Coordinates of all heavy atoms in Angstrom, one line a residue:
F1446 N 2.2 -30.2 -6.8 CA 3.2 -29.3 -6.3 C 2.5 -27.9 -5.9 O 2.8 -27.3 -4.9 CB 4.4 -29.1 -7.2 CG 5.4 -28.1 -6.9 CD1 6.3 -28.3 -5.8 CD2 5.4 -26.9 -7.5 CE1 7.3 -27.4 -5.5 CE2 6.4 -25.9 -7.2 CZ 7.3 -26.2 -6.1
A1447 N 1.7 -27.5 -6.9 CA 1.1 -26.1 -6.7 C 0.0 -26.0 -5.7 O 0.0 -25.0 -5.0 CB 0.6 -25.6 -8.1
L1448 N -0.8 -27.0 -5.6 CA -2.0 -26.8 -4.7 C -1.6 -26.7 -3.3 O -2.2 -25.9 -2.6 CB -3.0 -28.0 -4.9 CG -3.6 -28.1 -6.3 CD1 -4.5 -29.3 -6.5 CD2 -4.4 -26.8 -6.6
P1449 N -0.7 -27.5 -2.8 CA -0.2 -27.3 -1.4 C 0.3 -25.9 -1.1 O 0.0 -25.3 0.0 CB 0.8 -28.3 -1.1 CG 0.5 -29.4 -2.1 CD 0.1 -28.6 -3.3
I1450 N 1.0 -25.3 -2.1 CA 1.6 -24.0 -1.9 C 0.4 -23.0 -1.8 O 0.4 -22.0 -1.0 CB 2.5 -23.6 -3.0 CG1 3.7 -24.6 -3.0 CG2 2.9 -22.1 -3.0 CD1 4.7 -24.3 -4.2
I1451 N -0.6 -23.1 -2.7 CA -1.7 -22.3 -2.7 C -2.5 -22.3 -1.4 O -2.8 -21.3 -0.8 CB -2.7 -22.6 -3.9 CG1 -2.1 -22.3 -5.2 CG2 -4.0 -21.9 -3.7 CD1 -2.9 -22.8 -6.4
A1452 N -2.6 -23.6 -0.9 CA -3.3 -23.8 0.4 C -2.6 -23.1 1.5 O -3.2 -22.4 2.4 CB -3.4 -25.2 0.7
L1453 N -1.2 -23.2 1.6 CA -0.4 -22.5 2.6 C -0.5 -21.0 2.5 O -0.7 -20.3 3.5 CB 1.0 -23.0 2.5 CG 2.0 -22.3 3.4 CD1 1.7 -22.6 4.8 CD2 3.5 -22.7 3.1
G1454 N -0.4 -20.5 1.2 CA -0.6 -19.1 1.0 C -1.9 -18.5 1.4 O -2.0 -17.4 2.2
V1455 N -3.0 -19.1 1.1 CA -4.3 -18.7 1.4 C -4.5 -18.7 3.0 O -5.0 -17.8 3.6 CB -5.4 -19.5 0.8 CG1 -6.8 -19.2 1.3 CG2 -5.4 -19.2 -0.8
G1456 N -3.9 -19.8 3.6 CA -4.0 -19.9 5.0 C -3.3 -18.7 5.7 O -3.9 -18.1 6.7
L1457 N -2.1 -18.3 5.3 CA -1.4 -17.1 5.8 C -2.2 -15.9 5.6 O -2.3 -15.0 6.4 CB 0.0 -17.0 5.2 CG 1.0 -18.1 5.7 CD1 2.3 -17.9 4.9 CD2 1.3 -18.0 7.2
R1458 N -2.8 -15.8 4.3 CA -3.5 -14.5 3.9 C -4.8 -14.4 4.8 O -5.1 -13.2 5.2 CB -3.8 -14.7 2.5 CG -4.6 -13.5 1.8 CD -3.6 -12.3 1.7 NE -4.3 -11.2 1.1 CZ -5.1 -10.3 1.7 NH1 -5.3 -10.5 3.0 NH2 -5.6 -9.3 1.1
V1459 N -5.4 -15.4 5.1 CA -6.7 -15.3 5.7 C -6.6 -15.4 7.2 O -7.3 -14.7 8.0 CB -7.7 -16.4 5.3 CG1 -9.0 -16.5 6.1 CG2 -8.0 -16.3 3.7
G1460 N -5.6 -16.2 7.7 CA -5.5 -16.5 9.1 C -4.7 -15.5 10.0 O -4.7 -15.6 11.2
L1461 N -4.0 -14.7 9.3 CA -3.1 -13.8 10.1 C -3.5 -12.3 9.9 O -4.1 -11.9 8.9 CB -1.6 -13.9 9.6 CG -1.0 -15.3 9.8 CD1 0.4 -15.3 9.2 CD2 -0.9 -15.6 11.3
Q1462 N -3.2 -11.5 10.9 CA -3.5 -10.1 10.9 C -2.3 -9.2 10.5 O -2.5 -8.1 10.0 CB -4.0 -9.6 12.3 CG -5.3 -10.3 12.7 CD -6.5 -10.0 11.8 OE1 -6.7 -8.9 11.3 NE2 -7.2 -11.1 11.4
D1463 N -1.1 -9.7 10.8 CA 0.1 -8.9 10.4 C 0.1 -8.7 8.9 O 0.1 -9.6 8.1 CB 1.3 -9.7 10.9 CG 2.6 -8.9 10.7 OD1 2.9 -8.0 11.4 OD2 3.3 -9.3 9.7
K1464 N 0.3 -7.4 8.6 CA 0.3 -7.0 7.2 C 1.4 -7.6 6.4 O 1.2 -8.1 5.3 CB 0.4 -5.5 7.1 CG 0.2 -4.9 5.7 CD 0.2 -3.4 5.7 CE 0.1 -2.8 4.3 NZ 0.2 -1.4 4.3
R1465 N 2.6 -7.7 7.0 CA 3.8 -8.3 6.2 C 3.5 -9.7 6.0 O 3.9 -10.2 4.9 CB 5.0 -8.0 6.9 CG 5.5 -6.5 6.9 CD 6.7 -6.2 7.7 NE 7.8 -7.1 7.3 CZ 8.9 -7.2 8.0 NH1 9.1 -6.4 9.1 NH2 9.9 -8.0 7.6
R1466 N 3.0 -10.4 7.1 CA 2.9 -11.9 6.8 C 1.7 -12.2 5.9 O 1.7 -13.2 5.2 CB 2.6 -12.5 8.2 CG 3.9 -12.6 9.1 CD 3.6 -13.4 10.4 NE 4.9 -13.6 11.1 CZ 5.4 -12.8 12.0 NH1 4.7 -11.6 12.2 NH2 6.5 -13.0 12.6
R1467 N 0.7 -11.3 5.9 CA -0.4 -11.5 4.9 C 0.1 -11.3 3.5 O -0.3 -12.0 2.6 CB -1.5 -10.5 5.2 CG -2.4 -10.9 6.5 CD -3.2 -9.7 7.0 NE -4.2 -9.3 5.9 CZ -5.4 -9.7 5.8 NH1 -5.9 -10.7 6.6 NH2 -6.2 -9.2 4.9
G1468 N 1.0 -10.3 3.4 CA 1.7 -10.1 2.1 C 2.5 -11.3 1.7 O 2.4 -11.7 0.5
L1469 N 3.1 -12.0 2.6 CA 3.9 -13.2 2.3 C 2.9 -14.3 1.8 O 3.2 -15.0 0.9 CB 4.7 -13.6 3.4 CG 5.5 -14.9 3.3 CD1 6.5 -14.8 2.2 CD2 6.1 -15.3 4.6
G1470 N 1.8 -14.4 2.5 CA 0.8 -15.3 2.1 C 0.3 -15.1 0.7 O 0.1 -16.0 -0.1
E1471 N 0.0 -13.8 0.3 CA -0.4 -13.5 -1.0 C 0.6 -13.9 -2.0 O 0.3 -14.4 -3.1 CB -0.7 -12.0 -1.1 CG -1.3 -11.6 -2.4 CD -1.8 -10.1 -2.5 OE1 -1.7 -9.5 -1.4 OE2 -2.1 -9.6 -3.6
A1472 N 1.9 -13.6 -1.7 CA 3.0 -14.0 -2.6 C 3.1 -15.5 -2.8 O 3.2 -16.0 -3.9 CB 4.3 -13.5 -2.1
L1473 N 2.9 -16.3 -1.7 CA 2.9 -17.7 -1.8 C 1.7 -18.2 -2.7 O 1.9 -19.2 -3.5 CB 2.9 -18.4 -0.4 CG 4.2 -18.4 0.3 CD1 4.0 -18.9 1.7 CD2 5.2 -19.3 -0.4
T1474 N 0.6 -17.6 -2.5 CA -0.6 -18.0 -3.3 C -0.3 -17.8 -4.8 O -0.7 -18.6 -5.6 CB -1.8 -17.2 -2.8 OG1 -2.1 -17.4 -1.4 CG2 -3.1 -17.6 -3.6
G1475 N 0.3 -16.6 -5.1 CA 0.6 -16.3 -6.5 C 1.6 -17.3 -7.0 O 1.5 -17.7 -8.1
F1476 N 2.6 -17.7 -6.2 CA 3.6 -18.7 -6.6 C 2.9 -20.0 -7.0 O 3.3 -20.6 -8.0 CB 4.6 -18.9 -5.4 CG 5.9 -19.6 -5.9 CD1 6.7 -19.0 -6.8 CD2 6.2 -20.8 -5.3 CE1 7.9 -19.7 -7.2 CE2 7.3 -21.5 -5.7 CZ 8.2 -20.9 -6.6

């Protein structure tokens, strides 16, 4: 359950430039 969420979060964090969406990615990675 955890690993796909981490993968999605890291993808948002690394692949996007928008600050708010990168923040969302960091939050998902933490989740």
Side-chain angles (χ1 to χ4, degrees):
F1446 175 74
L1448 293 178
I1450 296 176
I1451 294 172
L1453 176 61
V1455 171
L1457 290 173
R1458 180 73 177 80
V1459 174
L1461 297 175
Q1462 297 300 316
D1463 182 74
K1464 186 177 179 180
R1465 287 176 55 188
R1466 288 187 172 87
R1467 284 164 62 89
L1469 179 61
E1471 184 174 351
L1473 281 173
T1474 304
F1476 193 63

